[in-house]
Amino acid sequence: MNRVSLIGRPTKEIELKFTPNTGLAVARFSIAVDNYNSKTKEKGADFIPVVVFGKRAETIAQYVDKGNQVAIAGHLHTGSYLDKE
């Protein structure tokens, strides 16, 4: 099962675009998620890219600003590629 829940803050304003063929809303942004290393007592942050589609994307772009705390639930997808070599 690939399920993830994150709480963080957007690092910049939400970027809302629409697909050319279908007009589907696509919101792209990244959130800073706090982390803490108990051994070294250091605080840090992980920056997670987020993509949202459809009506949810429009709602997020309308109501969420940079720095607002948000909770994200969805699935994690990592991409990779192979070069010619």
Side-chain angles (χ1 to χ4, degrees):
M1 176 159 68
N2 185 357
R3 186 86 175 142
V4 64
S5 297
L6 301 168
I7 296 176
R9 298 177 187 276
T11 58
K12 59 183 180 178
E13 296 302 321
I14 309 300
E15 176 186 331
L16 180 66
K17 293 186 178 182
F18 294 87
T19 58
N21 294 337
T22 61
L24 180 68
V26 180
R28 293 180 185 273
F29 57 102
S30 62
I31 61 171
V33 178
D34 294 334
N35 64 35
Y36 178 74
N37 186 327
S38 60
K39 290 182 181 180
T40 64
K41 308 280 193 236
E42 292 181 6
K43 293 181 182 179
D46 292 318
F47 298 93
I48 313 295
V50 178
V51 180
V52 182
F53 297 96
K55 184 65 175 167
R56 286 190 180 120
E58 294 179 42
T59 303
I60 286 172
Q62 184 177 0
Y63 293 108
V64 176
D65 293 319
K66 174 184 174 181
N68 292 144
Q69 190 172 50
V70 295
I72 305 288
H75 69 273
L76 187 63
H77 176 79
T78 59
S80 62
Y81 71 96
L82 296 174
D83 63 5
K84 293 179 181 178
E85 300 185 26

